[in-house]
């Protein structure tokens, strides 16, 4: 089969690989019909994530058709059109039984630190991902769901991570009616978080980024106020001025490890790799939220420490909430919003590339060329 393959930082290509086989009775093999590149795939592409091995296939956002199932699979049959959450999880361990699917204890030798994620380095379990013609899906009775007939392919694809993660980011914010919500990052997750904040009763939603074309999408898709942080000496001071001097009630970090906006953080994190990520957006969140407010973190950070303003969070009495999204927990409510027409997730898809052009797709997305917000790969 043809598969996207990692060759080293900033180098990916399409190669021939063996079609994956059933390795366990509860495996399924999925023929991928659509995959997406995630902003977090760029952390892998840039060589930011430990133990990203040459030869592996990325892709934790994919949908497809069931090709083959193992002998114990009961919920799926060959021919089913399915969506697969980015989390690999067992469904029955201490954590899964409490709905913490992203913290499953059975799917990663590294499980005390992080759960299992398709195509996201051996730090996250070493599973090959879905930017390929076929992918092996373990615990096939647990993660995948048959896509409802009325749901379009690209809408389903967005539910496998970006939309679920954005929605989860807003949920973690514990928004109450009338709250002012600031979202750092106008990528897919930030756009969906901003949109979701309205569903939860926000009174104001403000999206902060530096890319004008993405801020335009925040206005048109998420109906948010926007702030371009490059226009201010100190974006936190600006945000406080627009929020009665107190700060926002809730701030969501939808940026994660490769935030711009602070030279020293950028060098120590992305160049020297002395941090698990450059927490510029997170520190702005801690500074920009009001005392007693909530900071929600759904941007991706690597396993080692980052220089976060923890003392300020303590002294302001903040609530810090964060996790990788337990994707399938979000689906019932997201399906309602999509079916009711409150939300069309595919509105943020800007690019569609054939699998053969995956290197071009990574380059365009990474370099933020051509107004790229969300690229989709068609095997
Ligand atoms: Zn993703
Ligand atoms: Zn589990």
């Amino acid at each position: 089969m043809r598969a996207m393959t990692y060759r080293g930082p900033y180098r990916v290509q399409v190669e021939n690989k063996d079609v994956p086989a059933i390795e366990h009775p509860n495996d399924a093999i999925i023929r991928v019909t659509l995959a997406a590149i995630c902003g977090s795939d760029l952390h892998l592409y840039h060589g930011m994530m430990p133990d990203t091995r040459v030869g592996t296939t990325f892709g934790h956002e994919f949908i497809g058709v069931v090709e083959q199932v193992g002998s114990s699979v009961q919920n799926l049959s060959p021919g089913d059109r399915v969506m697969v959450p980015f989390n690999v999880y067992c469904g029955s361990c201490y954590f899964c039984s409490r709905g913490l699917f992203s913290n499953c204890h059975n799917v990663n030798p590294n499980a005390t630190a992080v759960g299992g994620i398709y195509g996201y380095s051996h730090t996250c379990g070493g599973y090959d991902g879905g930017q390929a013609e076929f992918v092996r899906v373990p615990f096939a009775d647990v993660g995948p769901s048959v896509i409802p007939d009325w749901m379009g392919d690209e809408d389903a694809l967005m539910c496998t991570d970006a939309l679920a993660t954005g929605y989860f980011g807003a949920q973690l914010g514990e928004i109450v009616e009338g709250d002012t919500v600031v979202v750092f990052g106008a990528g897919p997750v930030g756009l969906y978080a901003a949109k979701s904040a309205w569903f939860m009763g926000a009174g104001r939603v403000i999206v902060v980024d530096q890319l004008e074309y993405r801020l335009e999408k925040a206005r048109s898709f998420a109906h948010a106020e926007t702030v371009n942080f490059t226009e201010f000496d100190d974006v936190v001071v600006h945000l406080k001025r627009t929020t009665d001097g107190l700060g926002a009630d809730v701030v969501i970090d939808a940026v994660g490890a490769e935030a711009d906006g602070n030279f020293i953080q950028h060098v120590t994190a992305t160049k020297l790799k002395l941090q698990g990520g450059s927490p510029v957006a997170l520190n702005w969140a801690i500074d920009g939220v009001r005392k007693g407010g909530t900071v929600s973190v759904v941007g991706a950070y690597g396993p080692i420490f980052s220089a976060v303003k923890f003392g300020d969070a303590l002294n302001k009495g903040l609530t810090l909430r964060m996790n990788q999204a337990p994707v399938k927990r979000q689906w019932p409510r997201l399906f309602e919003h999509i079916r009711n027409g409150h939300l069309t997730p595919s509105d943020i898809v800007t690019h569609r590339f054939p699998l053969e052009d995956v290197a071009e797709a990574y380059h365009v997305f990474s370099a933020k060329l051509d107004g790229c917000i969300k690229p989709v790969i068609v095997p």
Side-chain angles (χ1 to χ4, degrees):
M1 68 166 184
R2 303 292 279 164
M4 170 276 171
T5 308
Y6 179 67
R7 285 286 139 212
Y10 292 87
R11 287 169 52 222
V12 300
Q13 62 190 39
V14 179
E15 295 180 13
N16 286 319
K17 280 187 159 184
D18 291 339
V19 174
I22 301 279
E23 295 176 16
H24 178 278
N26 209 237
D27 283 354
I29 305 299
I30 308 292
R31 178 170 55 79
V32 178
T33 51
L34 271 186
I37 305 179
C38 181
S40 68
D41 286 330
L42 297 178
H43 305 324
L44 299 170
Y45 179 66
H46 297 156
M48 287 284 293
M49 199 54 63
D51 209 1
T52 303
R53 298 187 191 173
V54 165
T56 55
T57 296
F58 300 166
H60 57 268
E61 306 184 0
F62 58 90
I63 63 166
V65 174
V66 176
E67 181 80 6
Q68 190 187 354
V69 294
S71 56
S72 77
V73 174
Q74 300 188 340
N75 297 340
L76 298 179
S77 307
D80 285 345
R81 174 175 167 253
V82 292
M83 52 205 290
V84 182
F86 78 79
N87 325 106
V88 181
Y89 63 107
C90 77
S92 55
C93 69
Y94 177 93
F95 302 96
C96 287
S97 61
R98 287 159 176 79
L100 297 166
F101 308 144
S102 51
N103 309 107
C104 178
H105 213 53
N106 283 336
V107 289
N108 183 357
N110 239 351
T112 51
V114 61
I117 303 177
Y118 292 97
Y120 212 77
S121 83
H122 280 67
T123 299
C124 299
Y127 298 91
D128 261 346
Q131 290 165 11
E133 289 182 289
F134 296 92
V135 59
R136 182 178 73 93
V137 170
F139 301 100
D141 277 332
V142 177
S145 283
V146 173
I147 300 172
D149 288 338
W150 49 266
M151 191 184 287
D153 278 358
E154 286 184 355
D155 288 335
L157 178 63
M158 294 302 110
C159 290
T160 62
D161 176 7
L163 174 58
T165 296
Y167 189 82
F168 182 60
Q171 276 184 324
L172 290 182
E174 297 180 315
I175 297 164
V176 299
E177 198 171 334
D179 271 356
T180 295
V181 178
V182 169
V183 179
F184 283 106
V189 170
L191 293 169
Y192 290 138
K195 182 93 175 177
S196 302
W198 294 118
F199 298 150
M200 297 169 198
R204 277 181 83 188
V205 179
I206 305 168
V207 174
V208 182
D209 202 289
Q210 61 179 328
L211 297 171
E212 262 316 313
Y213 76 89
R214 291 188 171 196
L215 291 171
E216 169 53 34
K217 188 63 111 177
R219 293 188 288 272
S220 63
F221 174 77
H223 309 289
E225 299 169 52
T226 57
V227 172
N228 186 327
F229 70 76
T230 63
E231 293 172 5
F232 301 93
D233 289 336
D234 186 335
V235 70
V236 170
V237 169
H238 172 72
L239 288 170
K240 289 226 161 150
R241 281 197 181 119
T242 81
T243 52
D244 299 333
L246 299 178
D249 301 296
V250 175
V251 182
I252 300 169
D253 172 2
V255 177
E258 292 187 83
D260 283 324
N262 180 304
F263 180 72
I264 292 171
Q265 292 273 20
H266 178 70
V267 169
T268 55
T270 60
K271 299 297 179 211
L272 302 178
K273 299 184 171 51
L274 297 173
Q275 301 193 60
S278 147
V280 179
L282 180 50
N283 283 335
W284 284 347
I286 290 169
D287 287 342
V289 75
R290 67 164 165 77
K291 285 181 277 188
T294 299
V295 173
S296 156
V297 187
V298 286
Y301 289 87
I304 64 166
F305 57 82
S306 298
V308 175
K309 301 178 82 167
F310 187 74
D312 290 340
L314 166 73
N315 294 319
K316 291 177 71 173
L318 302 185
T319 298
L320 305 181
R321 300 197 68 197
M322 65 207 85
N323 203 349
Q324 300 273 359
V327 169
K328 201 168 180 176
R329 224 168 72 191
Q330 270 62 48
W331 281 356
R333 188 56 63 86
L334 291 177
F335 287 11
E336 280 179 38
H337 285 308
I338 296 167
R339 191 166 200 182
N340 292 339
H342 298 154
L343 173 65
T344 306
S346 56
D347 281 350
I348 69 152
V349 175
T350 51
H351 289 66
R352 294 156 186 92
F353 293 92
L355 177 60
E356 288 301 317
D357 295 343
V358 77
E360 169 75 3
Y362 269 87
H363 174 64
V364 166
F365 191 32
S366 170
K368 313 276 191 296
L369 304 177
D370 192 32
C372 190
I373 294 177
K374 188 66 172 175
V376 165
I377 302 293
V378 187

